[in-house]
């Protein structure tokens, strides 16, 4: 019997692109659209779903099974024999096929493998049952300064994409999650591996990751963002290591974006697979090659912050970071011990194209987590240094919501103790959130200078928040062809217009005040 292969099929277009872009709420939640508007991120081709008729035709092809899809990359992940998969190239809407076994692709070459067995980044917690408080892992980063100023993650949404979350809903034995449950901070989730709504299952790895951010036991344990809200997504198949997990991660990230999530934590990494023909080599760690790293870059382009563990391969032959930690826009986190010394297991950079990785470090050796038994224990792994940082980044962004994702990440890097002299093991080093907070603190007292239009999309009325120094603005609305269709003056006493007479779709709005001109996209439902 012919070998079943994994492959990605990329489509040439999206026939319904125009219709979907004109009706953005069919693709994205209001919270997601608000984020796009806040950071001036346009809705584009990548936001449009994969054409359903294309998926149906691929599913109907002989010997082909569709396992996942990605609107961002306009592709489906399939399984089938090499012959059956290559037959798909005859379909007119198929742009290309990319086999997970690169030797099967045109001009493909077999990869030279390193000898040895590598540890997986996931599920590598080594618990020594040494109980204690989580103070050091927060104070090392000066994160307590954010908490003391009441920035504890409230209003922020974090997606954790991992291997499972059993017992987070256990009201009897897992006290660390009681506050999270009582305050309704779990907004939802999904098991992409098993395609069902039961995300309180699988490996306890994701549960422990969540505990580092959101766990809370009074006087015993506090996570780094205890008041944030969460979506819990399972993309990692604990029993297998396959390229499909990369595609499921991208699906989960797309879902997070559509829901309006602010920050994604991923304590996973990919270098080797059950089928060694699919293994990556160091040259693939360039942030542009693997499916998951390309997806992570798009996630960042949608306005989210993506934070990933660097990997636990620093003391094994692989040695280097894994995907998607190699992605340029991902904030990749190495592990240090309680005194700030880099852990031997923490993966090395740089990327294969010689960029600094990891970006920064946090405590990941002897870090306090909630274990699979519900106890507070110490564990080792960049799997846990990543969520230590995630919570504090969410708190920082809560404090300064007008900063873009790129600005927040850059500020975190610049605050790190090795920023002037980074190295291949620690990157820029250990961030100092007190430094960032004090640098930006005066901004919190300033008056808001931006004009805001809301709600967007809207069916009837569009309202405005005026900059404090402005009393009147001249408003003009244009259609997508640039034709002026409405003009009027609005003032702070009546800061709204009626758009019920506009046809459904996309418009451009121009606001003039003082010497400034601001342009927005608005969507009429």
């Amino acid at each position: 019997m012919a070998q079943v292969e994994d492959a990605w099929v990329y489509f040439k277009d999206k026939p319904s692109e125009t219709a979907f872009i004109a009706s953005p709420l069919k693709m994205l939640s209001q919270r997601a659209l608000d984020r796009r508007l806040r950071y001036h991120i346009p809705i584009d081709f990548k936001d449009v779903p994969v054409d359903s008729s294309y998926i149906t035709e691929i599913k109907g092809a002989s010997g082909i099974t569709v396992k996942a899809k990605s609107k961002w990359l306009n592709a489906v992940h399939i399984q089938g024999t090499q012959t059956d998969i290559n037959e798909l190239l005859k379909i007119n809407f198929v742009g290309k096929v990319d086999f997970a076994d690169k030797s099967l692709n045109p001009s493909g070459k077999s990869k030279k493998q390193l000898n040895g067995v590598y540890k997986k980044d996931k599920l590598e917690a080594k618990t020594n049952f040494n109980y204690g408080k989580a103070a050091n892992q927060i104070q090392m980063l000066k994160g307590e300064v954010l908490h003391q100023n009441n920035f504890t993650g409230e209003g922020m949404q974090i997606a954790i994409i991992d291997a499972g979350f059993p017992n987070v809903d256990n009201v009897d034995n897992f006290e660390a999650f009681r506050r999270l449950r009582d305050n309704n901070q779990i907004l939802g989730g999904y098991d992409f591996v098993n395609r069902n709504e039961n995300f309180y299952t699988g490996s306890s790895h994701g549960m422990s990751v969540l505990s580092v951010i959101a766990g809370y036991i009074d006087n015993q344990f506090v996570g780094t963002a205890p008041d944030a809200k969460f979506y819990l997504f399972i993309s990692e198949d604990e029993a297998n290591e396959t390229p499909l997990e990369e595609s499921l991660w991208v699906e989960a990230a797309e879902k997070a974006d559509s829901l309006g999530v602010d920050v994604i934590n991923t304590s996973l990494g990919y270098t080797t697979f059950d089928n060694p023909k699919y293994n990556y080599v160091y040259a693939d760690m360039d942030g542009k090659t693997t499916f998951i790293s390309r997806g992570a870059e798009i996630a960042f382009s949608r306005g989210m912050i993506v934070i990933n563990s660097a990997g636990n391969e620093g003391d094994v032959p692989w040695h280097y970071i894994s995907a998607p930690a190699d992605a340029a826009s991902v904030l990749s986190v190495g592990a240090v011990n309680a005194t700030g010394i880099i852990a031997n297991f923490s993966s090395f950079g740089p990327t294969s194209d010689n960029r600094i990785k990891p970006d920064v470090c946090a405590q990941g050796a002897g870090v306090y987590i909630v274990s699979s038994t519900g106890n507070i224990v110490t564990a080792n792994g960049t799997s846990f240094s990543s969520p230590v940082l995630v919570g504090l980044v969410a708190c920082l962004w809560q404090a300064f919501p007008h900063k873009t994702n790129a600005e927040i990440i850059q500020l975190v890097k610049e605050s790190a103790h090795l920023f002037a002299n980074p190295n291949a093991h620690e990157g820029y080093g250990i961030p100092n959130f007190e430094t960032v907070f004090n640098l930006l603190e005066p901004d919190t007292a300033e008056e808001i200078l931006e004009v805001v239009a809301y709600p967007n999309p809207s069916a009837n009325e569009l309202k405005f928040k005026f900059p404090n120094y402005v009393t009147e603005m001249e408003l003009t609305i244009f259609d997508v062809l640039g034709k002026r269709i409405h003009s009027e003056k609005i003032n702070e006493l009546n800061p709204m217009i009626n758009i019920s007479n506009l046809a459904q779709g996309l418009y451009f709005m121009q606001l003039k005040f003082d010497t400034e001109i601001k342009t927005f996209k608005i969507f009429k439902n």
Side-chain angles (χ1 to χ4, degrees):
M1 180 179 291
Q3 171 74 37
V4 173
E5 300 290 344
D6 281 74
W8 292 274
V9 177
Y10 294 87
F11 301 134
K12 294 178 179 178
D13 60 3
K14 294 177 179 178
S16 300
E17 177 184 358
T18 301
F20 271 104
I21 288 179
S23 303
L25 279 172
K26 292 181 179 179
M27 305 180 292
L28 302 169
S29 68
Q30 184 62 56
R31 181 183 170 94
L33 292 174
D34 290 344
R35 183 184 67 227
R36 299 292 183 90
L37 288 165
R38 184 163 63 250
Y39 301 120
H40 308 294
I41 299 170
I43 293 169
D44 60 22
F45 177 86
K46 292 185 177 69
D47 296 307
V48 176
V50 180
D51 189 81
S52 58
S53 67
Y54 290 178
I55 297 174
T56 299
E57 187 164 342
I58 297 296
K59 284 181 176 179
S62 176
I64 299 297
T65 303
V66 174
K67 305 296 292 185
K69 65 181 184 296
S70 168
K71 65 179 182 180
W72 288 347
L73 293 155
N74 199 22
V76 289
H77 187 123
I78 63 168
Q79 292 176 345
T81 66
Q82 181 183 0
T83 299
D84 287 340
I85 291 173
N86 279 329
E87 280 293 307
L88 300 176
L89 289 167
K90 297 178 181 178
I91 300 175
N92 63 353
F93 57 76
V94 172
K96 71 170 183 173
V97 169
D98 187 14
F99 283 91
D101 179 353
K102 295 295 190 292
S103 69
L104 302 180
N105 294 323
S107 303
K109 297 180 180 179
S110 297
K111 297 176 180 179
K112 181 180 179 182
Q113 299 299 326
L114 293 172
N115 294 323
V117 178
Y118 314 133
K119 295 186 294 183
K120 295 180 181 180
D121 186 40
K122 60 186 182 302
L123 314 176
E124 279 296 316
K126 294 182 175 67
T127 303
N128 60 21
F129 299 101
N130 199 3
Y131 294 86
K133 296 181 179 179
N136 191 76
Q137 59 213 48
I138 295 174
Q139 293 171 353
M140 177 186 293
L141 303 174
K142 304 296 184 184
E144 74 277 9
V145 172
L146 295 172
H147 294 172
Q148 289 165 1
N149 284 276
N150 295 317
F151 297 112
T152 55
E154 186 173 356
M156 303 299 291
Q157 293 186 5
I158 299 171
I160 300 178
I161 308 178
D162 214 284
F165 306 91
N167 293 310
V168 173
D169 60 340
N170 187 327
V171 297
D172 297 320
N173 300 320
F174 281 69
E175 180 66 25
F177 299 115
R178 181 178 299 278
R179 185 173 183 270
L180 196 66
R181 295 188 301 263
D182 290 348
N183 292 337
N184 298 313
Q185 291 170 245
I186 304 294
L187 298 178
Y190 189 74
D191 181 350
F192 287 88
V193 175
N194 295 300
R195 298 291 179 186
N196 63 51
E197 303 285 343
N198 180 20
F199 52 89
Y200 294 124
T201 187
S203 164
S204 63
H205 185 264
M207 179 272 295
S208 293
V209 167
L210 173 64
S211 75
V212 175
I213 309 173
Y216 186 93
I217 301 177
D218 197 27
N219 296 318
Q220 295 184 53
F221 185 93
V222 179
T224 49
D227 291 321
K229 293 185 176 180
F230 296 86
Y231 287 98
L232 308 178
F233 297 128
I234 299 175
S235 68
E236 178 68 17
D237 182 355
E238 182 184 6
N240 303 287
E241 191 77 341
T242 69
L244 176 59
E245 293 168 304
E246 294 188 52
S247 299
L248 298 181
W249 185 94
V250 174
E251 273 199 46
E254 290 177 358
K255 183 64 175 178
D257 170 49
S258 73
L259 292 165
V261 162
D262 303 298
V263 183
I264 292 176
N265 180 85
T266 304
S267 292
L268 306 169
Y270 298 95
T271 54
T272 60
F273 299 96
D274 296 339
N275 183 344
K277 291 182 179 180
Y278 298 160
N279 288 356
Y280 292 124
V281 295
Y282 176 55
D284 296 323
M285 299 297 110
D286 61 358
K288 303 172 185 176
T289 298
T290 70
F291 195 82
I292 192 170
S293 295
R294 288 155 57 206
E297 280 294 316
I298 298 172
F300 176 83
S301 77
R302 309 295 94 175
M304 295 182 288
I305 292 177
V306 183
I307 301 180
N308 206 100
S309 53
N312 294 340
E313 286 76 46
D315 55 0
V316 297
W318 170 265
H319 190 66
Y320 293 107
I321 55 167
S322 50
D326 64 327
S329 300
V330 168
L331 191 63
S332 307
V333 190
V336 297
N337 67 16
T339 63
I341 303 300
I342 191 72
N344 290 336
F345 61 77
S346 188
S347 289
F348 283 76
T351 59
S352 63
D353 56 343
N354 206 36
R355 287 177 288 106
I356 293 294
K357 289 285 178 178
D359 294 295
V360 292
C361 293
Q363 188 172 348
V367 63
Y368 284 96
I369 68 168
V370 174
S371 73
S372 59
T373 59
N375 296 311
I376 300 172
V377 302
T378 56
N380 299 324
T382 58
S383 284
F384 305 119
S385 58
S386 180
V388 167
L389 191 74
V390 159
L392 295 178
V393 167
C395 294
L396 180 67
W397 213 3
Q398 176 197 359
F400 305 102
H402 296 293
K403 295 293 182 184
T404 67
N405 56 351
E407 289 172 328
I408 291 290
I409 287 174
Q410 187 61 26
L411 286 163
V412 170
K413 290 179 185 178
E414 290 179 5
S415 75
H417 79 294
L418 297 176
F419 182 72
N421 191 28
N423 63 62
H425 206 183
E426 300 166 89
Y428 296 109
I430 300 169
N432 185 322
F433 283 86
E434 181 178 23
T435 298
V436 181
F437 187 78
N438 288 341
L439 176 67
L440 299 179
E441 192 172 17
D443 292 351
T444 62
E446 290 183 2
E447 297 175 333
I448 295 176
L449 302 180
E450 291 292 326
V451 61
V452 178
Y454 68 100
N456 193 354
S458 175
N460 297 305
E461 293 180 346
L462 198 61
K463 302 178 182 179
F464 301 89
K465 290 182 179 178
F466 279 50
N468 289 338
Y469 61 92
V470 175
T471 59
E472 186 177 79
M473 295 188 287
E474 182 180 336
L475 177 148
T476 306
I477 297 177
F478 302 88
D479 66 15
V480 292
L481 300 176
K483 180 181 178 182
R484 179 184 302 186
I485 58 175
H486 180 78
S487 292
E488 68 174 272
K489 289 186 177 181
I490 56 174
N491 59 62
E492 60 181 351
L493 298 178
N494 186 28
M496 59 169 286
I497 61 169
N498 188 321
I499 60 171
S500 59
N501 62 323
L502 295 182
Q504 183 180 23
L506 171 67
Y507 296 88
F508 294 92
M509 179 179 67
Q510 185 183 83
L511 289 168
K512 293 183 179 180
F513 53 94
D514 290 348
T515 59
E516 296 189 53
I517 299 176
K518 299 289 185 181
T519 303
F520 301 88
K521 287 182 180 179
I522 60 172
F523 300 92
K524 169 63 166 59
N525 286 340

